[in-house]
């Protein structure tokens, strides 16, 4: 569709569209009218297009060539039924981090805290994991992988006001070894991610949740051989308990945050200002009063990742039991996985196999669910 959204009439209210959304059938509707349809049908899924009765999914009205390509990608890749693929991977306690590398998925749990579980992605159902060890690791909080350096990064909260970042080198058929801790942290660590653009490592940190004055930071590291210098410390003074940060393909920092019953729960994007200080650009979620369960709200978002195309965000909506799929400018595409439809229970982490597109969801109960 090449016509600009501002010149189109809404199929619901018949007026010029406001915050236009395109349905899979290519009819266009106002965002507010989408919410009206949700209320009229008393459900969020299985809604029919008011004009042609085709199945309902929201996507973004294209404004230029790049957006047209993204819109087509959203339709082709995610406008499908998602089904569970075989039995879950079962572990003994809550999943604290996951990463995919070298045709394997690596998982760390709260207990045993010193073990990395490795499952081959092409193994048959019920195959036992290989156990790798970091004997000094106390409480893993997040995990990320670097294909370029063939290693895993794991954040470890080992004391009230500090922690460590471990590096575990792994390459199939070669000797594995722990080369960390590569960083000792002076605040509580949470998630870790690796930038696909420059392989920089982002560690998300915060003050403990029970402190009155809550702050957060992103520590940025640049691996260079055996050296692991911290090249930047980014202050997040207005974000309560940031849990995970990523750097997108368009060089935006995206942070998921919110824990207390009075704070903002959501994701915020930041860009660099002229003086090097991050400037908040967009917010998605509930702006005040804690987490929410509405269509465009989040309740304790714990982690996120980009999809294999690098243009969409998969956000773990922990308390609502769902995985939300957003465009980079925070437009809701759909609730990709939900408690009601897919049986998701207290999800903590999500990752996607770049070769097959399969989704892996790590849960509070120690299960890693697999979806096509």
């Amino acid at each position: 569709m090449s016509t600009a959204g501002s010149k189109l009439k809404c199929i619901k209210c018949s007026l010029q569209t406001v915050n236009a959304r395109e349905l899979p059938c290519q009819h266009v509707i106002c965002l507010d009218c989408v919410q009206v349809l949700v209320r009229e049908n008393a459900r969020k899924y299985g809604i029919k297009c008011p004009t042609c009765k085709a199945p309902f999914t929201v996507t973004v009205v294209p404004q230029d060539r790049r957006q047209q390509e993204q819109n087509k990608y959203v339709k082709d890749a995610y406008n499908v039924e998602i089904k569970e693929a075989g039995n879950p991977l079962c572990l003994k306690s809550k999943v604290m981090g996951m990463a995919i590398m070298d045709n394997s998925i690596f998982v760390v749990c709260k207990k045993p805290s010193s073990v990395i579980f490795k499952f081959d992605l092409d193994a048959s159902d019920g195959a036992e994991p290989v156990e790798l060890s970091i004997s000094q690791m106390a409480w893993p909080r997040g995990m990320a992988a670097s294909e370029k350096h063939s290693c895993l990064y794991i954040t470890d909260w080992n004391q009230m006001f500090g922690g460590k970042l471990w590096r575990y080198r792994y390459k199939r058929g070669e000797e594995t070894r722990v080369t960390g801790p590569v960083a000792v942290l002076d605040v509580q660590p949470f998630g870790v991610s690796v930038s696909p653009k420059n392989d920089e490592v982002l560690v998300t940190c915060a003050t403990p949740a029970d402190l009155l004055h809550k702050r957060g930071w992103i520590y940025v590291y640049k691996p260079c051989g055996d050296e692991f210098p911290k090249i930047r410390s980014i202050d997040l003074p207005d974000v309560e308990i940031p849990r995970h940060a990523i750097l997108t393909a368009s060089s935006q920092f995206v942070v998921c945050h919110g824990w207390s019953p009075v704070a903002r729960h959501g994701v915020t994007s930041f860009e660099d200002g002229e003086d090097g200080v991050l400037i908040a650009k967009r917010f998605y979620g509930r702006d005040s009063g804690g987490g929410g369960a509405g269509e465009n709200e989040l309740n304790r978002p714990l982690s996120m990742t980009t999809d294999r195309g690098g243009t969409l965000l998969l956000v773990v909506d922990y308390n609502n039991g769902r995985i939300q799929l957003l465009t980079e400018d925070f437009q809701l595409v759909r609730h990709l996985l939900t408690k009601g439809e897919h049986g998701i229970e207290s999800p903590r982490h999500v990752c996607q196999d770049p070769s097959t597109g399969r989704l892996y969801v790590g849960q509070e109960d120690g299960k890693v669910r697999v979806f096509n």
Side-chain angles (χ1 to χ4, degrees), residues 4 60 112 134 159 186 191 226 276 283 301 371:
V60 180
I134 301 180
Q159 56 185 335
D186 54 359
D226 291 333
F283 173 78
F371 296 89

Side-chain angles (χ1 to χ4, degrees), residues 109-145:
C109 299
K110 185 174 181 180
K111 295 180 181 180
S113 61
S114 60
V115 174
I116 305 170
F117 297 94
K118 184 185 81 72
F119 295 86
D120 287 341
L121 294 180
D122 53 7
S124 59
D125 278 356
E128 292 295 319
V130 174
E131 295 187 8
L132 312 173
S133 176
I134 301 180
S135 60
Q136 299 176 55
M137 190 158 62
W139 188 354
R141 306 306 299 270
M143 175 188 280

Side-chain angles (χ1 to χ4, degrees), residues 103-176:
N103 200 39
S104 300
I105 183 168
F106 299 83
V107 186
V108 288
C109 299
K110 185 174 181 180
K111 295 180 181 180
S113 61
S114 60
V115 174
I116 305 170
F117 297 94
K118 184 185 81 72
F119 295 86
D120 287 341
L121 294 180
D122 53 7
S124 59
D125 278 356
E128 292 295 319
V130 174
E131 295 187 8
L132 312 173
S133 176
I134 301 180
S135 60
Q136 299 176 55
M137 190 158 62
W139 188 354
R141 306 306 299 270
M143 175 188 280
S146 170
E147 290 278 4
K148 178 180 178 180
H149 296 293
S150 299
C151 66
L152 302 167
Y153 296 105
I154 306 167
T155 49
D156 177 19
W157 184 24
N158 68 337
Q159 56 185 335
M160 176 59 70
F161 292 101
K164 297 177 180 179
L165 177 65
W166 296 93
R167 178 167 60 184
Y168 192 99
R169 294 195 183 277
Y170 176 87
K171 195 169 185 178
R172 193 180 297 269
E174 297 183 8
E175 181 182 1
T176 61

Side-chain angles (χ1 to χ4, degrees), residues 112-336:
S113 61
S114 60
V115 174
I116 305 170
F117 297 94
K118 184 185 81 72
F119 295 86
D120 287 341
L121 294 180
D122 53 7
S124 59
D125 278 356
E128 292 295 319
V130 174
E131 295 187 8
L132 312 173
S133 176
I134 301 180
S135 60
Q136 299 176 55
M137 190 158 62
W139 188 354
R141 306 306 299 270
M143 175 188 280
S146 170
E147 290 278 4
K148 178 180 178 180
H149 296 293
S150 299
C151 66
L152 302 167
Y153 296 105
I154 306 167
T155 49
D156 177 19
W157 184 24
N158 68 337
Q159 56 185 335
M160 176 59 70
F161 292 101
K164 297 177 180 179
L165 177 65
W166 296 93
R167 178 167 60 184
Y168 192 99
R169 294 195 183 277
Y170 176 87
K171 195 169 185 178
R172 193 180 297 269
E174 297 183 8
E175 181 182 1
T176 61
R177 60 191 178 99
V178 180
T179 58
V182 288
V184 176
L185 307 166
D186 54 359
V187 284
Q188 179 180 345
F190 284 102
V192 58
S193 65
V194 177
S195 167
K197 293 187 66 176
N198 51 27
D199 217 53
E200 293 176 352
V201 179
L202 280 64
V203 178
T204 307
C205 302
T207 53
D210 57 352
L211 289 187
L212 180 62
H213 183 58
K214 299 177 176 64
R215 293 180 60 192
W217 297 266
I218 303 172
Y219 291 171
V220 184
Y221 298 87
K222 183 67 175 180
C224 184
D226 291 333
E227 300 296 318
F228 201 80
K230 182 166 69 172
I231 61 173
R232 190 173 181 187
S233 178
I234 301 171
D235 196 1
L236 300 170
D238 298 322
V239 173
E240 189 242 19
I241 312 295
R243 302 299 296 243
H244 197 203
I246 61 175
L247 184 64
T248 68
S250 60
S251 299
Q252 293 185 71
F253 290 95
V254 179
V255 182
C256 62
H257 54 87
W259 188 258
S260 75
V262 295
R264 299 169 63 186
H265 288 225
V267 289
T268 300
S269 65
F270 298 86
E271 59 184 15
D272 275 313
E274 293 181 358
D275 55 358
V277 177
L278 288 191
I279 299 172
K281 188 175 181 182
R282 294 186 178 90
F283 173 78
Y284 175 92
R286 186 167 182 175
D287 197 43
S288 62
E295 185 84 3
N296 298 89
E297 295 180 334
L298 293 161
N299 194 331
R300 291 189 175 180
L302 293 189
S303 62
M304 58 192 163
T305 187
T306 55
D307 78 326
R308 60 176 175 168
T311 59
L312 300 173
L313 301 171
L314 288 85
V315 182
V316 175
D317 190 1
Y318 171 75
N319 269 358
N320 289 323
R322 59 193 183 190
I323 308 297
Q324 297 202 38
L325 181 70
L326 309 178
T327 62
E328 196 174 331
D329 63 347
F330 292 175
Q331 304 295 336
L332 175 64
V333 177
R334 64 181 286 192
H335 295 160
L336 198 61

